[in-house]
């Protein structure tokens, strides 16, 4: 790819207000087709991974019993949240900075980013694990108690989980969608199930600590496979040489991205958390079952983002404004169409899926319908969040997400008190749509890029 001379001289953090069309060195149609194929691949793997995850949950529930399974579920949630946070946003930052540095021919910065992200992910993972152990020791959960063993094992898993999260971002930045998500979402789940069956078969106690020890083994195996493949891939294209560390630029963008991701994770569970405080356990269970089915709809947007986010940064870095707008428009339309199709299919089989949870769960069908409608509505506003994260505006994106989190929590409490459990679903649908609208407006205001499927008043369309 030919990089204009003017582009080479611009620092990596300067691509935050591009408004001119540059020379299109890569045909827009080819970029769109490549992104579509990658998105379809990612979506297929995520669906398969969801099946693996569901199977693993059923297996653990049956082997461990409800109480021990509950401990595993609670500890696993914290591993996921803290492990993702421990990379300090360098996982997403890889999709933003590595394409830009390579487009600028700055391999010193590429090598520096690779080393910095690896060291930070491991160091922060270890630090968070130690901090968490200290807190639970002070609180009194250690030593002794049902959570003692599981928490100790979780502290070993956390740094590995953080490093694998970073490796996922590296693979995505290199257009290797399968390498990005197959090891953590397919291989890890498969090894986990096999290890748990083997452990119980060998006579180990069916306890939460046993299951988490199996997760430790599975994470180590999946990370090793992914890291070795990445090492070979990057070694072929990035020769050994000096490293340059742009800490201020990288941290200035990555830390807000990480904050936005954490706020987004909170937004994803805000309704369940609020309901757990104000509703009966039966109501919470009914609502939670609906959210477990609705999550399949979210895989469409995830797949599209995994295939295109790093391409936004690369096209902006080379000044290919026309190709960038075409890719954004295509991604928005593809995501909205996929969300509609998957959502419709889920609603068609929803009564059967809800019945699998047990008697009475079919009453969650209105909840599921509202949540699916909220996801579809949000998809119509396009990838505004990822335009902000990849081109500049990550602080604004984090602020929007945090505001949406607060809005979701407040609306859930108010609407649940007013109209019941469907009010909680309505609150979440309103919050995610408000967030998507705000992201679209911000992306257009900062970068002049229109992200919605349907043009908003005052938006710029080429």
């Amino acid at each position: 790819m030919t990089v204009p001379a003017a582009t080479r001289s611009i620092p990596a953090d300067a691509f935050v207000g591009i408004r001119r069309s540059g020379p299109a060195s890569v045909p827009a149609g080819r970029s769109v087709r490549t992104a579509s194929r990658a998105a379809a691949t990612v979506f297929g793997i995520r669906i398969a991974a969801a099946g693996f995850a569901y199977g693993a949950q059923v297996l653990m529930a049956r082997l461990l019993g409800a109480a021990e399974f509950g401990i595993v579920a609670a500890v696993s949630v914290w591993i996921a949240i803290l492990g993702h946070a421990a990379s300090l946003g360098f996982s997403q930052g890889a999709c933003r900075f590595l394409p830009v540095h390579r487009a600028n021919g700055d391999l010193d910065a590429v090598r520096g980013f690779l080393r910095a992200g690896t060291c930070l992910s491991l160091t922060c993972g270890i630090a968070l694990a130690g901090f968490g152990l200290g807190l639970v020791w002070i609180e009194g959960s250690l030593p002794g108690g049902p959570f003692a063993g599981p928490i100790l094992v979780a502290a070993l898993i956390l740094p590995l989980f953080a490093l694998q999260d970073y490796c996922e971002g590296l693979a995505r930045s290199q257009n290797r969608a399968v390498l990005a998500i197959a090891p953590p979402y397919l291989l890890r789940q498969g090894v986990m199930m096999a290890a748990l069956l083997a452990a119980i078969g060998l006579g180990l106690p069916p306890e939460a600590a046993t299951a988490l020890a199996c997760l430790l083994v599975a994470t180590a195996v999946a990370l090793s496979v992914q890291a070795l493949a990445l090492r070979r891939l990057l070694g072929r294209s990035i020769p050994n040489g000096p490293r340059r560390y742009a800490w201020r630029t990288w941290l200035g963008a990555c830390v807000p991205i990480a904050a936005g991701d954490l706020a987004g994770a909170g937004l994803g569970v805000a309704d369940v958390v609020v309901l757990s405080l104000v509703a009966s356990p039966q109501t919470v269970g009914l609502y939670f079952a609906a959210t477990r089915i609705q999550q399949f709809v979210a895989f469409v947007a995830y797949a599209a983002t995994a295939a295109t986010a790093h391409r936004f940064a690369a096209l902006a870095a080379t000044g290919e404004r026309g190709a960038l707008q075409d890719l954004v428009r295509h991604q928005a339309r593809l995501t909205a169409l996929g969300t509609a199709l998957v959502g419709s299919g889920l609603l068609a089989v929803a009564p059967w899926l809800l019945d699998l949870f047990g008697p009475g769960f079919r009453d969650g069908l209105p909840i599921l319908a509202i949540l699916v409608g909220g996801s579809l509505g949000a998809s119509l506003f396009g990838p505004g969040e990822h335009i902000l994260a990849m081109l500049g505006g990550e602080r604004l994106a984090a602020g929007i997400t945090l505001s949406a989190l607060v809005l979701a929590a407040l609306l859930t409490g108010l609407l649940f008190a007013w109209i019941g459990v469907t009010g909680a679903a309505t609150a979440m649908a309103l919050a995610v749509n408000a967030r998507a609208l705000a992201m679209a407006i911000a992306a257009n205001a900062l970068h002049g890029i229109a992200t919605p499927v349907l043009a908003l008043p005052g938006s710029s369309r080429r």
Side-chain angles (χ1 to χ4, degrees):
M1 180 180 293
T2 303
V3 183
T7 302
R8 295 192 190 99
S9 65
I10 300 175
D13 59 346
F15 298 103
V16 296
I18 298 173
R19 300 202 177 255
R20 297 187 304 275
S21 296
S25 59
V26 177
R30 184 189 305 173
S31 180
V32 166
R33 287 193 298 271
T34 302
S36 298
R37 288 194 297 269
T41 301
V42 173
F43 180 70
I45 294 175
R46 283 298 272 143
I47 290 296
F52 267 59
Y54 184 80
Q57 291 171 358
V58 171
L59 179 66
M60 283 192 291
R62 291 184 176 275
L63 290 177
L64 305 181
E68 293 294 320
F69 175 68
I71 295 174
V72 173
V75 173
S76 297
V77 167
W78 282 107
I79 291 174
I81 293 174
L82 295 178
H84 189 61
S87 69
L88 292 183
F90 270 64
S91 177
Q92 283 278 61
C95 298
R96 171 172 171 174
F97 288 111
L98 290 182
V100 172
H101 289 324
R102 295 192 70 163
N104 292 343
D106 191 354
L107 292 184
D108 292 358
V110 170
R111 287 186 285 264
F113 189 95
L114 294 175
R115 174 65 63 86
T118 301
C119 294
L120 271 179
S121 297
L122 275 175
T123 301
C124 292
I126 294 171
L128 279 176
F131 182 70
L133 286 175
L135 285 181
V136 296
W137 183 283
I138 294 172
E139 184 270 337
S141 297
L142 291 178
F147 280 89
I151 289 176
L152 289 173
V153 180
L156 299 175
I157 298 172
L158 185 54
L160 302 182
F161 195 99
L163 185 56
Q164 183 150 51
D165 186 73
Y166 174 62
C167 287
E168 180 183 344
L170 288 183
R172 286 173 54 193
S173 74
Q174 304 303 305
N175 296 322
R176 295 297 190 271
V178 174
L179 178 58
I181 65 176
Y185 298 114
L186 285 179
L187 180 59
R188 188 168 65 198
Q189 295 283 0
V191 174
M192 163 73 179
M193 288 190 287
L196 183 58
L197 286 171
I200 301 301
L202 291 173
L204 293 177
E207 298 174 349
T210 301
L212 288 166
C214 294
L215 178 58
L216 173 62
V217 172
T219 304
V221 170
L223 173 60
S224 298
V225 170
Q226 189 176 38
L228 288 174
L230 274 171
R231 185 180 180 86
R232 287 196 296 268
L233 173 66
L234 294 170
R236 290 195 297 266
S237 59
I238 304 173
N240 291 328
R243 301 181 182 90
R244 184 175 69 83
Y245 298 95
W247 288 110
R248 184 173 182 179
T249 298
W250 296 339
L251 290 173
C254 291
V255 171
I257 289 174
D261 284 346
L262 283 178
L267 180 61
V269 297
D271 47 354
V272 176
V273 171
V274 172
L275 284 178
S276 69
L277 299 175
V278 299
S280 67
Q282 292 80 3
T283 299
V284 175
L286 183 71
Y287 191 93
F288 186 74
T291 65
R292 294 308 86 196
I293 298 173
Q294 186 268 340
Q295 68 178 339
F296 284 90
V297 180
F299 292 157
V300 177
Y302 174 89
T305 298
T308 57
H310 59 288
R311 299 176 194 273
F312 297 158
L315 291 173
T318 54
E320 299 174 68
R321 173 57 184 264
L324 175 58
Q325 180 66 80
D326 286 344
L327 181 58
V328 169
R329 183 182 298 118
H330 179 78
Q331 198 255 40
R333 291 172 177 170
L334 182 66
T335 301
L337 177 61
T339 301
L341 291 175
V342 174
S344 299
L346 278 178
L347 290 177
V349 298
W352 177 75
L353 293 175
L354 288 167
D355 283 342
L356 292 178
F357 285 90
F361 278 89
R362 186 174 290 202
D363 292 341
L365 187 57
I367 301 170
L368 178 59
I370 294 171
L371 293 174
V372 169
S375 295
L376 176 59
S379 72
L380 297 176
F381 294 105
E385 174 188 4
H386 304 290
I387 290 294
L388 294 174
M390 295 296 106
L391 274 65
E394 58 282 339
R395 289 177 175 82
L396 180 56
I400 290 172
T401 302
L402 183 58
S403 299
L405 171 59
V406 175
L407 177 64
L410 292 175
L411 283 180
T412 298
L414 291 173
L415 293 184
F416 175 76
W418 182 26
I419 57 177
V421 69
T422 55
T426 303
M428 182 56 62
L430 291 173
V432 297
N433 276 267
R435 175 177 180 265
L437 171 61
M439 294 288 189
I441 293 173
N444 189 59
L446 287 181
H447 305 296
I449 297 175
T451 63
V453 174
L454 303 174
L456 295 173
S459 64
S460 60
R461 283 281 190 190
R462 201 171 46 84

